[in-house]
Amino acid sequence: MMGTRLDVIPECTTEEASSLLISMVCGRDALPLHTVSSDLMFVLQIGSTTIDNPSCSVKAILLQYTVNNAINWHLIESHDLVDYQRAQGLSYSLPTRAKGRAVRFRWWQPQHNGPGNDQWAIDNIQLIMF
């Protein structure tokens, strides 16, 4: 197995080493990658260990991909905040359509309370080739 570096566009984050803390109004997406026979692995934490409104699943973090330069985005997984109050390692086998040249991924929170609220973090992002 070989890991591929995932370069993110550095806006709206606090960056330390290989982690991102998202606390502004935006999402994360990556430079185009070649993703033949790959798994995407990362660590996700949403909020802290306490949540004011645990039934608030409309603030989910979406993991998506595009193969046409962000014209259309396709969902890989939705992550509800009640399930990720503590950091968890995640691994996804990429869908067939997400394997090829110039694939981009993004983590996006479409509904939030604005800058400085609804913090979440991703860490240790790896694209595993086998």
Side-chain angles (χ1 to χ4, degrees):
M1 291 193 292
M2 175 176 47
T4 300
R5 183 183 161 156
L6 189 66
D7 293 317
V8 295
I9 299 166
E11 58 190 45
C12 308
T13 64
T14 302
E15 268 186 85
E16 285 191 29
S18 64
S19 63
L20 296 171
L21 170 62
I22 291 78
S23 63
M24 303 284 284
V25 180
C26 65
R28 298 286 80 212
D29 68 349
L31 302 174
L33 300 170
H34 183 68
T35 59
V36 176
S37 300
S38 302
D39 283 357
L40 179 63
M41 298 172 60
F42 59 95
V43 175
L44 175 68
Q45 181 173 350
I46 305 173
S48 64
T49 56
T50 59
I51 294 178
D52 294 336
N53 185 359
S55 64
C56 193
S57 64
V58 297
K59 295 182 181 180
I61 307 301
L62 307 180
L63 171 59
Q64 300 176 313
Y65 73 94
T66 182
V67 294
N68 57 9
N69 204 25
I71 294 171
N72 302 100
W73 288 96
H74 306 280
L75 182 67
I76 295 174
E77 190 65 52
S78 176
H79 304 93
D80 289 335
L81 61 119
V82 296
D83 298 325
Y84 298 94
Q85 295 174 38
R86 296 192 190 284
Q88 292 186 41
L90 302 169
S91 177
Y92 295 102
S93 294
L94 296 180
T96 302
R97 291 183 57 196
K99 295 178 182 177
R101 298 192 181 277
V103 177
R104 293 175 75 152
F105 299 95
R106 76 174 177 185
W107 289 263
W108 181 45
Q109 185 179 30
Q111 302 214 3
H112 46 75
N113 288 336
N117 295 292
D118 303 324
Q119 289 92 0
W120 49 282
I122 54 177
D123 192 6
N124 207 21
I125 301 165
Q126 299 177 55
L127 188 59
I128 306 298
M129 313 285 255
F130 47 87

